[in-house]
Amino acid sequence: MDTLINRKNNKKKKLLLVIPAILLLGYFVITAMTKKKSLSVKRAEITIKKVSSDFFEDFILFQAKAIPLNSMLVNVIEGGAVQEIYVENGDLVKEGQPLVRLYNPNTELNYMQQETAIIEQVNNLNKAKLDLRNQELSLAKDLISIEHDFQDAKNLYELNKKLFDQEILAKNEWTVTQENYRFQKERMDIIKQSVTKEKQANQIQIHQLNQSIEIMNKSLRILRDNKNNFLITAPLSGRLSSFEPILGKTFTQGNSIGTIDVMKGYKLVADVDEFYLSKVAEGQKGSVDFKGKIINVQISKIIPEVKNGRFIVELAFTDSQDLELNQGISFGVKINLSEKTKTTILPKGSFYQETAGKWIFVVADDKAVRRKITLGRENPLYYEVIDGLKPGENVITSTYKDYQEIQVLNIKE
């Protein structure tokens, strides 16, 4: 006789065995997914700083150099090779004092040829003036002769008129006398008109010739002055700087051979990172430390053109005291962007490069736990904490390059 098998009971047994296994596996999966990633680090490898409540001052720091308030470049007007040097770099010079002499034989020969050509043109113009004067003189001589002939005809006319009225002179002779008188009078009038017009024309030509001669003489003076440009002189009085000519060295026209600094006051010039371009403005006040004394300064000019990630700022000394400065001396400049305010502050560190200020590791005993934070303003030393941290808490401010996916750091000695 066959035995009946209860399949339902076997299924229940298998189900009772599978369910606990599934639950156990799910527990391990959920635990693995929710477990915070941790990493052990040595305390010597990290930097721990304390969050504090203190006065926050929004300011920037940068280096600036002292330069004279006014300077002028010494430019080469006529290029050439250095022939003589009369002064040295750093000397005090006076306006008009010779600095260096250049030599350029080709240019000098060209000047001589131009000078000769101009002198020849001036001589030709003067000869043309002389010819006009001689022409006027010749006309004047002719006019005198014609006036003399007219006067003779007039005298004869007056004499013969009396004789003809007394019926002493024949009519035909009187007719000849009248005709000669008329001819000489008309001739003299025509010649006088011609001489007058000729003089007027000559005066216009002579005036034009004089203008041309004046232009030529002016060109000649400029040319001779240009010959003197090989001798470079000081355009004003002051201290000579950036002056390093060498005998035989060639300078082209327009090059600068040095700078003259007017020794009447200084200003500061700085190359500032473009990050601060929107934060600085003319009129902002700051300070520098000079020989242990705090000297007040003020931004006087901003050149917003950015080159290689930096722009130029000029600052003026606002203190009235005379400062014994030297050109090129460097100062650490502090520019105040806001007044001091009491707030929670966090020391700056390399962590910001990886977190952008959105989270930080907060240290408690031997652990550091990742926490979200909100930062506000910053200066070269501190960040302003808006949310996420309290005064007295310790945080890790060193680099987070290897901790971006880590939630907890185990700190070991």
Side-chain angles (χ1 to χ4, degrees):
M1 182 177 174
D2 294 332
T3 304
L4 295 174
I5 299 174
N6 194 342
R7 293 183 178 178
K8 185 176 181 181
N9 293 334
N10 289 337
K11 288 182 178 180
K12 287 182 178 180
K13 289 180 180 178
K14 290 181 179 180
L15 189 59
L16 291 172
L17 293 175
V18 171
I19 289 175
I22 293 174
L23 293 174
L24 185 61
L25 179 61
Y27 170 77
F28 285 117
V29 172
I30 293 173
T31 303
M33 292 178 62
T34 59
K35 184 178 180 181
K36 294 182 179 181
K37 293 183 180 180
S38 63
L39 180 69
S40 295
V41 296
K42 293 182 179 180
R43 188 177 294 272
E45 296 176 351
I46 59 176
T47 301
I48 300 175
K49 295 288 182 69
K50 180 174 289 189
V51 179
S52 61
S53 177
D54 204 343
F55 286 99
F56 179 85
E57 185 179 10
D58 196 3
F59 66 91
I60 60 175
L61 296 174
F62 52 80
Q63 289 293 118
K65 289 185 177 181
I67 64 171
L69 279 174
N70 298 297
S71 299
M72 179 177 287
L73 292 175
V74 181
N75 293 324
V76 175
I77 301 176
E78 293 293 339
V82 177
Q83 186 179 37
E84 295 179 89
I85 302 173
Y86 304 108
V87 294
E88 295 181 353
N89 190 42
D91 287 352
L92 289 173
V93 296
K94 295 182 178 180
E95 182 177 354
Q97 180 177 342
L99 305 178
V100 64
R101 180 182 291 279
L102 304 181
Y103 177 67
N104 189 328
N106 293 330
T107 304
E108 289 197 0
L109 178 60
N110 184 40
Y111 281 156
M112 291 177 63
Q113 293 173 345
Q114 292 182 48
E115 185 176 7
T116 301
I118 292 174
I119 292 174
E120 184 177 353
Q121 291 183 41
V122 171
N123 290 337
N124 290 335
L125 293 173
N126 283 324
K127 183 178 182 300
K129 282 177 58 179
L130 183 61
D131 291 342
L132 291 174
R133 298 294 187 191
N134 290 335
Q135 185 179 355
E136 286 186 6
L137 183 60
S138 177
L139 290 173
K141 290 180 180 179
D142 292 341
L143 181 59
I144 291 173
S145 177
I146 291 170
E147 288 177 342
H148 182 268
D149 292 342
F150 169 74
Q151 191 63 40
D152 287 346
K154 182 180 179 182
N155 292 336
L156 182 60
Y157 173 83
E158 291 175 350
L159 176 62
N160 287 346
K161 185 177 185 302
K162 292 178 180 179
L163 294 176
F164 180 75
D165 291 342
Q166 296 175 4
E167 297 180 354
I168 299 174
L169 184 68
K171 185 176 182 180
N172 60 341
E173 286 190 36
W174 171 239
T175 301
V176 173
T177 301
Q178 285 181 311
E179 182 61 24
N180 184 53
Y181 174 70
R182 182 194 63 77
F183 169 75
Q184 294 295 341
K185 185 176 185 304
E186 290 181 357
R187 180 189 178 200
M188 186 185 68
D189 291 339
I190 291 172
I191 295 300
K192 278 187 175 181
Q193 291 178 8
S194 177
V195 169
T196 301
K197 291 181 179 179
E198 193 70 27
K199 282 185 176 181
Q200 291 175 348
N202 287 351
Q203 286 177 355
I204 294 174
Q205 291 186 56
I206 290 173
H207 178 69
Q208 293 174 343
L209 289 172
N210 286 333
Q211 286 183 326
S212 299
I213 292 172
E214 179 59 30
I215 292 173
M216 291 297 168
N217 287 329
K218 185 176 180 180
S219 299
L220 189 60
R221 290 193 297 269
I222 294 174
L223 184 64
R224 287 170 176 170
D225 289 340
N226 287 342
K227 291 174 65 176
N228 295 328
N229 288 332
F230 288 111
L231 177 64
I232 300 176
T233 59
L236 46 76
S237 300
R239 186 182 298 278
L240 189 62
S241 63
S242 302
F243 181 74
E244 297 177 354
I246 302 172
L247 290 176
K249 182 178 179 180
T250 300
F251 289 89
T252 59
Q253 183 179 11
N255 280 1
S256 172
I257 201 171
T259 304
I260 294 183
D261 303 319
V262 181
M263 311 306 291
K264 294 181 180 179
Y266 287 85
K267 62 183 177 182
L268 298 178
V269 176
D271 288 332
V272 183
D273 192 282
E274 62 180 324
F275 173 79
Y276 298 108
L277 183 56
S278 61
K279 295 189 175 185
V280 298
E282 293 183 5
Q284 286 178 334
K285 297 180 180 180
S287 61
V288 298
D289 187 346
F290 179 65
K291 295 182 179 180
K293 297 173 62 176
I294 300 299
I295 307 298
N296 295 321
V297 295
Q298 186 176 10
I299 295 179
S300 58
K301 185 177 182 181
I302 296 174
I303 302 176
E305 182 181 4
V306 177
K307 293 183 179 180
N308 300 321
R310 308 185 75 81
F311 65 100
I312 297 176
V313 173
E314 293 185 4
L315 304 103
F317 291 96
T318 57
D319 290 343
S320 58
Q321 56 184 309
D322 293 331
L323 302 175
E324 296 180 0
L325 302 180
N326 293 321
Q327 182 177 352
I329 187 173
S330 294
F331 291 91
V333 181
K334 176 183 176 183
I335 297 295
N336 302 317
L337 303 179
S338 68
E339 298 294 333
K340 292 182 179 180
T341 54
K342 190 72 175 289
T343 185
T344 302
I345 59 175
L346 167 66
K348 278 195 162 184
S350 303
F351 76 95
Y352 192 88
Q353 297 177 4
E354 282 77 32
T355 70
K358 295 181 179 180
W359 58 274
I360 199 168
F361 281 110
V362 181
V363 179
D365 297 330
D366 294 333
K367 290 184 181 295
V369 180
R370 182 168 174 162
R371 183 191 298 178
K372 291 183 179 180
I373 60 173
T374 303
L375 301 181
R377 297 172 298 171
E378 64 176 286
N379 62 33
L381 303 177
Y382 298 99
Y383 294 109
E384 179 187 24
V385 179
I386 303 299
D387 188 39
L389 294 174
K390 296 179 180 180
E393 290 185 308
N394 292 318
V395 295
I396 297 176
T397 59
S398 50
T399 180
Y400 288 6
K401 187 176 181 181
D402 300 324
Y403 312 147
Q404 295 189 46
E405 302 298 328
I406 305 301
Q407 301 293 325
V408 177
L409 293 176
N410 296 314
I411 303 172
K412 296 184 178 181
E413 298 296 335

